[in-house]
Amino acid sequence: RAVKLLPLELLTRTGGKRRWLDRFRRAAGAAVSLNHPGLVRAVDYGLDDSISAAYVVSELRLEPTLAERLPAKGPLTPAQALRLAYDVAQGLRALHRGGLQHGRLAPSRLFVDSAGHGALAGAGVGPALAWDRLPIESACVDATGLTYMAPERLIQRRPHRTSDQFSLGAVLHEALTGEGDLVAVFRW
C-alpha cells in the first residue's frame, strides 16, 4: 500500500479546520468508493492527530509512471498513446461521475503497465481541499503539475472536468512528442 500524508497545518491555515475536514471527508470518501481500472484505487482514509495529518491509503503500483518511461524509452507511438488516452479518459470519467476532479494530472501520476494500459493516481482529494487557493499556494499541488494545469486553474477558478481534459491533452502531447513545455507551444 502507498500512504499519502496531508499535513493539517499547511492545509488549514486558511479557511478553518472544520471546513477543511468536511471537504477532506467528502472527497476521500468519494475517492475510496471508486473502483475503476483506469484509476489507482484509494482504499482507506483518515485523520491521525498524533502526527497532525490526514492520510489517504492507495494500492501500491510497481510499474513505472509515464514520467519515468518517457526518458527511458522515448515518445509513445500513436497506438500506444491512444491506448493510454482511452484508459485515462475512462478513469477520469469514473472520477467525474463520482463527483471529483483530478486537478493535478501529470506524467508523474500516470502508471503504465507492460501492456501499455494506464492508471491515474491521486484521485482528486487534494484539489477538492484547496481549489479556492492558487495552485502554487496549495500544499496539494507540486510544481510539476503546473506545466499540465488548465489555464482557468491558474486564476483560481473551481476545477471542472474540462480542466482535467485539458491536462490529459497536455500530457498526451508530451507522450507523443517528448516535449513537455506546452506553454511554449501555445505562446501564452
Side-chain angles (χ1 to χ4, degrees), residues 19-28 128-132:
R19 186 179 87 167
W20 183 87
L21 290 174
D22 288 343
R23 280 186 184 182
F24 172 75
R25 286 186 182 107
R26 278 193 310 273
L129 304 177
W131 72 263
D132 54 351

Side-chain angles (χ1 to χ4, degrees), residues 76-91:
L76 301 180
T77 66
Q80 291 169 324
L82 185 60
R83 178 178 307 173
L84 181 66
Y86 179 82
D87 293 342
V88 175
Q90 292 302 310

Side-chain angles (χ1 to χ4, degrees), residues 89-167:
Q90 292 302 310
L92 284 172
R93 182 178 182 199
L95 192 69
H96 297 156
R97 284 185 172 175
L100 294 170
Q101 283 76 43
H102 193 279
R104 300 169 295 136
L105 205 151
S108 60
R109 294 188 174 94
L110 288 177
F111 288 90
V112 184
D113 70 17
S114 59
H117 292 285
L120 181 58
V125 175
L129 304 177
W131 72 263
D132 54 351
R133 292 188 225 162
L134 286 174
I136 56 175
E137 295 176 321
S138 171
C140 300
V141 177
D142 62 24
T144 305
L146 293 175
T147 302
Y148 310 95
M149 193 168 286
E152 66 270 19
R153 293 291 295 123
L154 296 172
I155 56 172
Q156 247 177 314
R157 295 223 176 117
R158 182 182 290 269
H160 187 265
R161 68 176 174 250
T162 56
S163 306
D164 287 338
Q165 292 164 353
F166 176 94
S167 297

